[in-house]
C-alpha cells in the first residue's frame, strides 16, 4: 500500500505525463486583406506584367487585379483548384510563358465573374454605389480605399466587361494634351496604364453609356 508521499509522487508523475502528451495549438490569426499591398503590387506590374509567374491574356484586366488582390493583398484562394465556373471559386495554378501551362477559375480572369465572386464571398466585397463613365469628380466614394476594385459596364449589352484597382490619388500622368484629370486613380491592364483617372473618361469611347460599380474589399477577410 502506497504511503501519502508515494501517492503524491505518483499523482504528480501522472499529471506531468498527461500534460506532456497534450498538443497545444495556437489559433491562427484571421488573414487580413492588405489594400496597400495590393495597390503596391498593381503599381509594380501596371505596365510590365508579372510573367512567367502569371499568364498574360489578350483581355488581361481581371487577371491583373486578381494577382494584385492575391499576391499583393493576401486575399486567399477560395475552393482552390475546384469548381472553376462557380461564384464561390477563385484561384489559379501553374507557371510558364504560355497560358496552356496554367489553369484558373473563371472568376480569376473574367470581370463579371470576379465581381460575382466578391459579392458572394464573405466578408469579401461590399458594393459602394455606381457612377457614370463621364464623371470627372475628383473622388470615388469615401469608403473606397487603395486596393479596392472598380468594375465597368460599357453599356453595349455585355454587362460588366472591365475591371481596375484603385491605387491612390493625384494627377493622372496619362493625360490627353491640354486636359488635367486629378483625383483618385487606378491601374489597369488590357490597355496597360499606371495611375489612370478612375472613371477612364479621357480614354473611354463609350463613356456616355458606361456604368462603373465600386467594390470595397473588407480588410477583415
Amino acid at each position: 500500500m502506497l504511503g501519502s508521499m508515494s501517492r503524491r509522487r505518483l499523482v504528480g508523475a501522472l499529471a506531468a505525463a498527461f500534460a506532456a502528451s497534450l498538443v497545444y495549438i495556437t489559433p491562427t490569426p484571421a488573414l487580413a486583406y492588405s489594400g496597400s499591398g495590393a495597390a503596391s503590387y498593381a503599381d509594380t506590374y501596371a505596365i510590365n506584367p508579372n510573367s512567367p509567374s502569371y499568364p498574360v491574356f489578350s483581355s488581361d484586366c481581371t487577371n491583373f487585379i486578381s494577382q494584385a488582390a492575391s499576391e499583393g493583398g493576401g486575399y486567399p484562394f477560395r475552393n482552390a483548384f475546384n469548381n472553376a465556373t462557380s461564384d464561390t471559386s477563385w484561384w489559379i495554378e501553374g507557371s510558364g510563358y504560355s497560358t496552356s501551362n496554367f489553369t484558373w477559375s473563371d472568376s480569376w480572369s473574367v470581370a463579371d465573374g470576379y465581381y460575382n465572386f466578391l459579392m458572394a464571398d464573405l466578408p469579401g466585397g461590399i458594393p459602394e454605389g455606381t457612377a457614370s463613365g463621364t464623371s470627372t469628380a475628383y473622388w470615388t466614394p469615401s469608403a473606397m480605399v487603395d486596393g479596392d476594385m472598380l468594375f465597368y459596364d460599357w453599356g453595349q449589352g455585355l454587362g460588366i466587361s472591365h475591371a481596375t484597382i484603385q491605387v491612390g490619388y493625384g494627377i493622372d500622368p496619362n493625360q490627353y494634351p491640354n486636359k488635367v484629370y486629378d483625383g483618385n486613380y487606378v491601374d489597369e491592364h488590357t490597355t496597360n496604364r499606371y495611375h489612370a483617372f478612375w472613371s477612364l473618361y479621357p480614354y473611354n469611347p463609350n463613356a456616355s453609356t458606361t456604368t462603373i460599380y465600386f467594390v470595397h474589399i473588407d480588410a477583415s477577410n
Side-chain angles (χ1 to χ4, degrees):
M1 189 171 184
L2 293 173
S4 60
M5 180 63 73
S6 297
R7 285 199 299 272
R8 284 196 296 273
R9 287 175 179 170
L10 177 61
V11 170
L14 290 173
F18 178 73
S21 70
L22 293 176
V23 176
Y24 292 95
I25 300 174
T26 302
T28 301
L31 181 61
Y33 177 68
S34 171
S36 61
S40 178
Y41 181 97
D43 275 352
T44 300
Y45 297 105
I47 303 302
N48 298 307
N50 186 8
S51 175
S53 296
Y54 292 92
V56 180
F57 302 108
S58 56
S59 296
D60 199 52
C61 62
T62 311
N63 173 48
F64 169 59
I65 67 170
S66 287
Q67 291 173 40
S70 174
E71 181 128 345
Y75 202 112
F77 287 173
R78 299 292 198 223
N79 208 1
F81 320 128
N82 292 296
N83 299 325
T85 60
S86 170
D87 288 346
T88 63
S89 295
W90 183 73
W91 52 266
I92 192 169
E93 66 173 343
S95 64
Y97 287 99
S98 171
T99 56
S100 64
N101 294 331
F102 294 86
T103 55
W104 57 89
S105 64
D106 287 358
S107 59
W108 183 272
S109 64
V110 179
D112 64 345
Y114 188 34
Y115 176 84
N116 291 337
F117 164 76
L118 288 174
M119 293 300 99
D121 199 42
L122 296 174
I126 300 172
E128 296 296 344
T130 64
S132 167
T134 60
S135 178
T136 56
Y138 292 119
W139 315 116
T140 57
S142 59
M144 294 286 286
V145 298
D146 293 355
D148 286 346
M149 306 302 177
L150 287 74
F151 294 88
Y152 302 74
D153 178 347
W154 305 132
Q156 307 301 301
L158 300 176
I160 290 172
S161 304
H162 185 58
T164 67
I165 179 171
Q166 182 166 307
V167 293
Y169 63 91
I171 297 176
D172 179 351
N174 311 274
Q175 299 166 35
Y176 282 8
N178 304 316
K179 293 186 178 179
V180 175
Y181 295 91
D182 61 340
N184 285 126
Y185 47 55
V186 299
D187 291 338
E188 66 170 344
H189 271 195
T190 301
T191 299
N192 294 2
R193 290 192 178 97
Y194 170 86
H195 293 185
F197 184 67
W198 66 267
S199 74
L200 305 182
Y201 177 60
Y203 328 107
N204 178 9
N206 299 310
S208 63
T209 59
T210 294
T211 300
I212 302 165
Y213 297 83
F214 301 104
V215 177
H216 170 65
I217 297 181
D218 191 323
S220 66
N221 185 55

